[in-house]
Amino acid sequence: MSAATRRLTTAQALVRFLAAQYTERDGVHHRLITGTWGIFGHGNVAGLGQALVEYADVMPYHQGRSEQAMVHAAVGHARQLNRLRVQAVTTSIGPGATNLVTGAALATVNRLPVLLLPGDYFASHAADPLLQQLEHPVEADVSVNDALRPVSRYFDRVTRPEALVASALKAVRVLTDPAETGAVTLALPQDVQSEAHDWPEEFFADRVWHVRRPAPDPEELAEAVRAVRAAERPLIVAGGGVHHSEAEQALKALVDATGIPVASTQAGKGALRHDHPADLGGIGHTGTAVSDELARTADLVIGVGTRYSDFTTASGTLFQRPDVRFLNLNITAFDAHKLAARTLVCDARSGLTALAEALSGHRVDAAYEAEYRAGKARWEETVRAALRADDDGAVPTQTQVLGALDAVVGDEDVVINAAGSLPGDLHKLWRARSPRQYHLEYGYSCMGYEIPAALGVQQAAPDTPVWALVGDGTYLMNPTEIVTAVQENLPVKLVLVQNHGYASIGGLSESVGAERFGTDYRHRAADGSFTGAPLPVDLAANAASLGMDVLRAKTVRELREALVAARAATRPTCVYVETAPPSAALPAEAWWDVPVAEVSAREAATAARTAYERSVADRRHHL
Ligand SMILES: Cc1ncc(C[n+]2csc(CCOP(=O)(O)OP(=O)(O)O)c2C)c(N)n1
Ligand SMILES: [Mg+2]
């Protein structure tokens, strides 16, 4: 007796399979793939495109404007849903597929799951060379999709229908794995997509993927407890893993019991509420004065779910105490071992809960607690001063824009940003009121993430106000999904900060002796430099032309009114504001390594090199 089979095309089988996948964590089930973004062309129009129309009842379809933006939307969606639900993205072959690369890199760097389904050349080679085919003269099996390999956490090319069965299961394993996740790419040759096959019925049965919470190893836990008990100045560095694991309450319980203070990375901010007495705010190059002071003198740094990027460690210069040691709680051994740490390889919530239990009765020294509380109070003064705007009629600075937004948002509003001078200001100044409010993509810091990500977040949280904050340079990089927000009636809010160019890179350029070269948006002057008048570009009109309601704010008062109106708006709404200098108000509290020209005939570069050599001398290797 042969087992039951169903005759479907490869694309139809894939859609039916994806619609039947579920995640389960802590007893709660979720449909894994909530929808599929797609732009059709040859390579997916007759395969996946046909399957998506045939099965529109089980797989929602979202129409995007650019492939990169569709990945950003999916990544924002997965992050908002703590990686328990994801979206898929399908593209044509060639340019549609290679437009995925930036989005895939962003997903993989940030360990955020997304399923990519680019079309690929004929597996049969029958009609080579196809439109848009790369004809590699030596490696005939190479396609442009191979550019997705290094930026994918799992990659396969499904060159025969029946190969889909094993490949699809492996793909979903990576999409649902709490340690090894990122972009998952199934490249689908277009002839194979349309080919029929007799699939085992079981392939389409509901399948539940348990998202595990591995507990700490008892020996590692005992070592960790000894280290924490012995530490005089312990400091927790909270990373994105705290959020992915939904470990915020467990972190708070540990901190309430022990008094250990918490500094957070860009991905980890909001792990504790900003007004918790042990929350010190951001750490590292964009961190707060109190976090960075404590980091310099900490004897035990407890990393929880962090990758320790250069921004966090101030490029290896932040943790200066000679006998400083690290204890890393991370579900990924790869990250846990960084900085020659003691390791606690486990889920963040499991590990923090076990630590709190094993540390019962332990509390940091009262003098230490008083010291960091005083530092926190001083920093809160700095924040208040930066956010405050006394003159209602004045043009706001960028930090006053953040102050106005801070006054308008509710506890659950989501604020999205990724690049420019805003991430530094936000890391220092934003008062995160709930775990998912502070949505900074700073693993890849990709200009153009913000607007599409807002769509994915809004789809995940339909009743929550979602704000995308973008600079003018970032807006120009990727405004296309405004059209999608209009089409889907997603009432995302865009705050568009006009300062006529790349203010952040201009400042960086100056500090590294590169004289702001190429960073202002200005006409070309007679001497060939871009130092002429500002460009007569009207980005507010541009956003309106794409279908947004636009509110232009010229003063602090108008800005406040516009933000209130935008928050209440039921359509996609843009608040456009030109800011007054300085564009990034607060100086960095710690260094960041951007190597400066070792030889130059220009004074700016030689002076910057001298300063660079002083800073680089502070770098430590933690062994
Ligand atoms: C896709 C991409 N290209 C280049 C960069 C490098 N970069 C970082 S910030 C920035 C300028 C951002 O300009 P804008 O959005 O106007 O913000 P501002 O610096 O003016 O605050 C650039 C070019 C990047 N992060 N992402
Ligand atoms: Mg700008």
Side-chain angles (χ1 to χ4, degrees):
M1 198 181 77
S2 66
T5 59
R6 210 190 296 188
R7 191 159 178 81
L8 299 176
T9 69
T10 304
Q12 290 162 356
L14 177 57
V15 171
R16 289 237 63 114
F17 167 83
L18 292 176
Q21 306 307 305
Y22 294 83
T23 54
E24 174 277 315
R25 185 164 74 181
D26 307 324
V28 184
H29 288 70
H30 301 283
R31 161 88 180 252
L32 172 63
I33 312 279
T34 64
T36 298
W37 291 91
I39 293 176
F40 300 110
H42 96 99
N44 68 341
V45 64
L48 266 167
Q50 193 285 326
L52 286 168
V53 65
E54 186 144 344
Y55 295 129
D57 56 333
V58 296
M59 179 60 74
Y61 163 67
H62 312 299
Q63 186 182 57
R65 267 74 215 167
S66 103
E67 290 83 2
Q68 178 184 327
M70 295 194 291
V71 188
H72 293 338
V75 166
H77 190 75
R79 174 168 162 159
Q80 181 68 19
L81 296 169
N82 301 322
R83 311 192 301 188
L84 296 170
R85 282 174 275 180
V86 308
Q87 292 175 327
V89 178
T90 172
T91 76
S92 64
I93 74 166
T98 49
N99 268 358
L100 294 173
V101 173
T102 298
L106 184 154
T108 298
V109 166
N110 285 287
R111 320 267 167 83
L112 290 166
V114 56
L115 177 61
L116 305 181
L117 304 171
D120 212 327
Y121 314 142
F122 287 22
S124 70
H125 290 294
D128 286 3
L130 310 183
L131 172 69
Q132 302 166 328
Q133 178 163 350
L134 174 78
E135 289 188 276
H136 195 290
V138 178
E139 298 181 51
D141 61 338
V142 163
S143 93
V144 295
N145 286 350
D146 289 285
L148 285 157
R149 285 179 192 267
V151 291
S152 295
R153 201 65 182 77
Y154 176 73
F155 179 98
D156 197 11
R157 179 175 288 121
V158 182
T159 53
R160 296 176 61 87
E162 61 270 37
L164 179 69
V165 174
S167 193
L169 288 165
K170 287 177 187 156
V172 176
R173 179 190 73 77
V174 177
L175 288 172
T176 59
D177 192 297
E180 294 174 36
T181 196
V184 169
T185 304
L186 294 183
L188 301 168
Q190 63 170 307
D191 52 346
V192 178
Q193 284 183 45
S194 301
E195 206 175 320
H197 178 72
D198 296 313
W199 305 90
E201 197 58 54
E202 254 190 305
F203 186 50
F204 308 114
D206 285 357
R207 197 173 293 268
V208 179
W209 298 79
H210 172 65
V211 181
R212 67 187 76 84
R213 292 190 178 279
D217 172 86
E219 279 176 39
E220 283 194 337
L221 181 63
E223 272 291 309
V225 168
R226 265 195 292 280
V228 177
R229 284 188 185 278
E232 285 167 6
R233 300 176 65 85
L235 172 67
I236 291 175
V237 177
V242 175
H243 295 305
H244 300 327
S245 162
E246 298 171 275
E248 297 90 355
Q249 281 306 318
L251 177 66
K252 180 173 181 299
L254 174 71
V255 167
D256 286 344
T258 61
I260 301 174
V262 177
S264 48
T265 70
Q266 287 278 16
K269 202 169 147 92
L272 280 187
R273 241 188 94 103
H274 74 94
D275 50 5
H276 188 285
D279 182 62
L280 308 182
I283 189 170
H285 178 61
T286 52
T288 67
V290 56
S291 288
D292 287 354
E293 275 160 31
L294 253 69
R296 290 193 178 93
T297 54
D299 59 349
L300 181 70
V301 178
I302 307 168
V304 185
T306 176
R307 301 186 304 123
Y308 285 108
S309 82
D310 60 348
F311 266 66
T312 302
T313 66
S315 301
T317 63
L318 188 59
F319 304 108
Q320 278 298 341
R321 188 167 150 145
D323 60 348
V324 64
R325 289 287 176 271
F326 296 83
L327 164 65
N328 290 340
L329 195 175
N330 206 299
I331 197 163
T332 312
F334 180 82
D335 293 313
H337 280 276
K338 288 175 178 171
L339 304 175
R342 281 196 180 80
T343 55
L344 201 50
V345 179
C346 60
D347 166 64
R349 188 197 280 184
S350 306
L352 290 167
T353 307
L355 266 180
E357 208 167 293
L359 284 167
S360 170
H362 174 75
R363 195 160 180 95
V364 298
D365 199 58
Y368 180 54
E369 206 167 333
E371 177 191 330
Y372 73 67
R373 285 191 185 211
K376 176 179 170 68
R378 279 196 301 277
W379 183 257
E380 279 171 352
E381 267 312 309
T382 307
V383 173
R384 267 191 288 277
L387 298 184
R388 190 168 51 225
D390 295 327
D391 180 0
D392 267 15
V395 175
T397 63
Q398 181 162 290
T399 58
Q400 289 170 340
V401 172
L402 297 183
L405 186 61
D406 174 86
V408 165
V409 296
D411 274 9
E412 301 299 323
D413 288 31
V414 177
V415 175
I416 303 171
N417 182 244
S421 54
L422 280 162
D425 284 354
L426 285 161
H427 201 207
K428 284 195 177 74
L429 301 175
W430 191 260
R431 298 159 166 161
R433 292 124 159 113
S434 60
R436 277 298 178 213
Q437 173 160 85
Y438 187 84
H439 186 129
L440 256 283
E441 184 285 291
Y442 215 66
Y444 209 49
S445 185
C446 182
M447 291 166 76
Y449 169 78
E450 298 87 344
I451 297 172
L455 271 58
V457 171
Q458 189 78 81
Q459 287 172 327
D463 302 323
T464 302
V466 179
W467 303 84
L469 274 49
V470 302
D472 54 314
T474 294
Y475 177 85
L476 283 168
M477 192 82 72
N478 199 10
T480 57
E481 294 328 289
I482 288 174
V483 176
T484 309
V486 171
Q487 180 178 41
E488 301 270 354
N489 201 23
L490 296 168
V492 294
K493 295 123 190 27
L494 174 62
V495 180
L496 172 40
V497 178
Q498 172 65 279
N499 60 16
H500 302 284
Y502 302 157
S504 54
I505 306 299
L508 176 63
S509 170
E510 224 166 312
S511 75
V512 297
E515 306 174 47
R516 303 193 78 88
F517 183 70
T519 58
D520 289 329
Y521 284 179
R522 287 175 175 275
H523 280 289
R524 200 184 273 284
D527 67 356
S529 67
F530 293 107
T531 53
L535 302 180
V537 175
D538 187 346
L539 298 184
N542 184 276
S545 79
L546 297 177
M548 275 201 142
D549 288 345
V550 177
L551 304 162
R552 292 176 189 255
K554 293 205 176 63
T555 62
V556 169
R557 187 181 319 108
E558 288 176 15
L559 175 64
R560 288 187 185 130
E561 288 164 6
L563 291 171
V564 169
R567 188 160 189 277
T570 54
R571 291 197 73 248
T573 301
C574 169
V575 174
Y576 174 86
V577 59
E578 284 218 31
T579 50
S583 50
L586 302 173
E589 300 287 341
W591 189 59
W592 181 41
D593 189 350
V594 178
V596 175
E598 200 169 354
V599 290
S600 168
R602 295 179 77 89
E603 164 62 21
T606 48
R609 179 70 195 188
T610 308
Y612 177 78
E613 284 171 8
R614 266 199 309 275
S615 297
V616 86
D618 288 338
R619 176 144 49 218
R620 293 194 51 188
H621 293 286
H622 299 286
L623 295 169

